[in-house]
Amino acid sequence: MNQQPSPAQTHAPDDRVTHSGLETPDSVLLSVNNLETCFYTRAGVVRAVDKVSFALSAGQTLSLVGESGSGKSITALSILRLVPPPGRIVAGEVMFEGKNLLQLPSNQMRQVRGRQIAMIFQDPMSSLNPVYTVGEQIAEAIRLHQGLPKKAAFQKAIEMLHRVRIPEPARRAVDYPHQLSGGMRQRVMIAMALSCNPRVLIADEPTTALDVTIQAEILNLLARLKEEFRIAMLLITHDLGVVAEVADSVAVMYAGQVVEDAPVQEIFDRPRHPYTEGLLQSIPRLSEDEGRHRLLAIEGAVPGLIDIPPGCRFAVRCPYRKQECTAGDIPVLQTGTNHHSRCIIAKEAVWRPNP
């Protein structure tokens, strides 16, 4: 890993917060501590991930939530050390089974990717190689990480297609990606990710390009396979409906930072950051009074991540803004059991109730 002095030298030495409502010290599989990833551009340094911390426990689904540009996907790529140039991980730890992944030699890190920590990327069409059959691509991952001979690896690839409920898996295994529907391609990506029995699965917007019916099928499939394979899952999404369906706990990201974290029900019932509240207020609801319920938009846009001014990054869009919000670094406050918020009024009862 290429290391450079952090551009965030003026921050407090430790902004660490544990983002999980279910973990115990013995059950934590993946711990991200004060992770910083920057992109060095001609315009300046973009702090895409700024002192992000969370912990993922065995059997847990933790969801990273936020709008586009909040740093969710770059956080996931940083965990696997796949950040594209000119991006660099400049500080922090990614602890997995007692090892800091950011300090592993490249050959050892390649053994972790796919075998112990697997990832489902956003767009299966661009992630799959168009000139190889889907069976060959799954089998290649199996041969690489499990050392099976070619024939046995292909047979296991067919078995994995069956386990993700692709009909006629033996026939589909010799199809090319373009011959499959979007939902089928996503199932292939899930089969590939789980083919080597990883302990952690990172799912980056796994239902974004799919229609509503197929989205529900993929979410149900992920939930079933998570239990079947006994894995922990880091789910990245901007869709709070998806979060409510599958997550155990939530970390809300905004402009490169985690601004709130809590168990999922706590987030929906008692949000303690204005940005989280705004996300919840913008969700359409089916109810008897839906005609009287007006959706509330979050005014403005996410700020640029170059030369970020001091204070809360949400301040310019916040309906509760105070003068102190732009005076300096905003502390992370504990507002309840396993509930934290990066907001100076997090403990005040000023929040609009959810309809």
Side-chain angles (χ1 to χ4, degrees):
M1 180 191 69
N2 293 323
Q3 290 276 4
Q4 285 198 163
S6 168
Q9 295 291 334
T10 58
H11 286 199
D14 193 347
D15 234 2
R16 184 175 306 176
V17 182
T18 297
H19 300 290
S20 171
L22 301 178
E23 80 247 7
T24 63
D26 292 335
S27 69
V28 173
L29 280 178
L30 181 70
S31 178
V32 176
N33 303 313
N34 293 309
L35 180 66
E36 296 182 42
T37 299
C38 298
F39 285 78
Y40 295 86
T41 70
R42 291 182 178 179
V45 179
V46 178
R47 299 174 188 167
V49 177
D50 192 359
K51 288 190 176 295
V52 164
S53 299
F54 57 82
L56 180 62
S57 299
Q60 179 194 18
T61 297
L62 168 65
S63 183
L64 289 183
V65 178
E67 57 195 299
S68 297
S70 62
K72 308 183 302 297
S73 294
I74 296 300
T75 297
L77 293 174
S78 299
I79 291 171
L80 291 173
R81 285 169 50 184
L82 292 174
V83 178
R88 297 176 189 167
I89 304 168
V90 298
E93 294 179 331
V94 178
M95 301 300 298
F96 176 71
E97 296 187 333
K99 299 176 182 178
N100 184 358
L101 299 185
L102 303 186
Q103 295 180 349
L104 285 185
S106 297
N107 62 330
Q108 293 184 32
M109 190 63 208
R110 283 193 293 270
Q111 291 300 312
V112 171
R113 294 190 202 107
R115 185 173 185 177
Q116 295 175 295
I117 304 177
M119 185 167 177
I120 304 169
F121 294 92
Q122 286 190 34
D123 183 4
M125 193 60 190
S126 61
S127 300
L128 292 169
N129 192 319
V131 301
Y132 292 98
T133 67
V134 296
E136 287 174 326
Q137 294 183 61
I138 298 171
E140 181 183 10
I142 295 169
R143 291 168 59 195
L144 175 65
H145 292 296
Q146 296 188 334
L148 293 181
K150 187 174 182 179
K151 185 175 181 180
F154 195 83
Q155 190 58 44
K156 184 170 182 181
I158 294 174
E159 179 189 333
M160 290 305 303
L161 291 176
H162 173 72
R163 294 183 79 169
V164 297
R165 299 189 175 177
I166 288 183
E168 301 182 85
R171 182 171 70 85
R172 288 299 188 180
V174 295
D175 282 347
Y176 291 89
H178 73 273
Q179 296 176 285
L180 304 178
S181 67
M184 288 285 195
R185 287 194 292 266
Q186 193 62 283
R187 288 171 189 265
V188 168
M189 292 299 298
I190 295 171
M192 188 182 302
L194 297 179
S195 62
C196 297
N197 300 312
R199 301 202 66 195
V200 175
L201 176 65
I202 301 174
D204 188 2
E205 301 275 11
T207 62
T208 296
L210 307 176
D211 64 51
V212 175
T213 303
I214 303 302
Q215 282 185 23
E217 291 180 4
I218 295 297
L219 289 175
N220 290 335
L221 175 65
L222 284 172
R224 178 179 66 81
L225 292 173
K226 182 192 129 183
E227 298 300 323
E228 184 178 330
F229 284 83
R230 300 178 182 274
I231 57 177
M233 183 162 66
L234 179 63
L235 175 65
I236 298 169
T237 184
H238 64 275
D239 189 337
L240 286 169
V242 170
V243 172
E245 186 81 18
V246 300
D248 299 306
S249 58
V250 183
V252 181
M253 292 192 69
Y254 183 80
Q257 294 182 325
V258 172
V259 295
E260 183 171 11
D261 74 279
V264 63
Q265 197 59 51
E266 185 83 3
I267 284 284
F268 278 84
D269 291 345
R270 288 174 289 277
R272 285 295 176 264
H273 193 282
Y275 178 61
T276 309
E277 179 197 64
L279 291 177
L280 292 169
Q281 290 287 339
S282 65
I283 301 174
R285 288 173 172 80
L286 295 177
S287 62
E288 293 180 0
D289 64 340
E290 61 177 308
R292 298 193 297 272
H293 173 54
R294 181 173 178 267
L295 296 181
L296 300 177
I298 302 175
E299 301 293 337
V302 179
L305 299 180
I306 300 175
D307 297 325
I308 302 171
C312 176
R313 296 179 183 183
F314 189 65
V316 295
R317 307 173 72 186
C318 181
Y320 308 120
R321 181 173 63 249
K322 295 183 177 183
Q323 185 175 354
E324 307 94 282
C325 295
T326 56
D329 287 344
I330 304 300
V332 176
L333 301 178
Q334 182 164 352
T335 64
T337 305
N338 299 316
H339 195 159
H340 307 86
S341 175
R342 191 184 294 271
C343 178
I344 63 174
I345 62 168
K347 296 183 178 181
E348 297 180 19
V350 298
W351 312 94
R352 289 188 291 263
N354 290 324

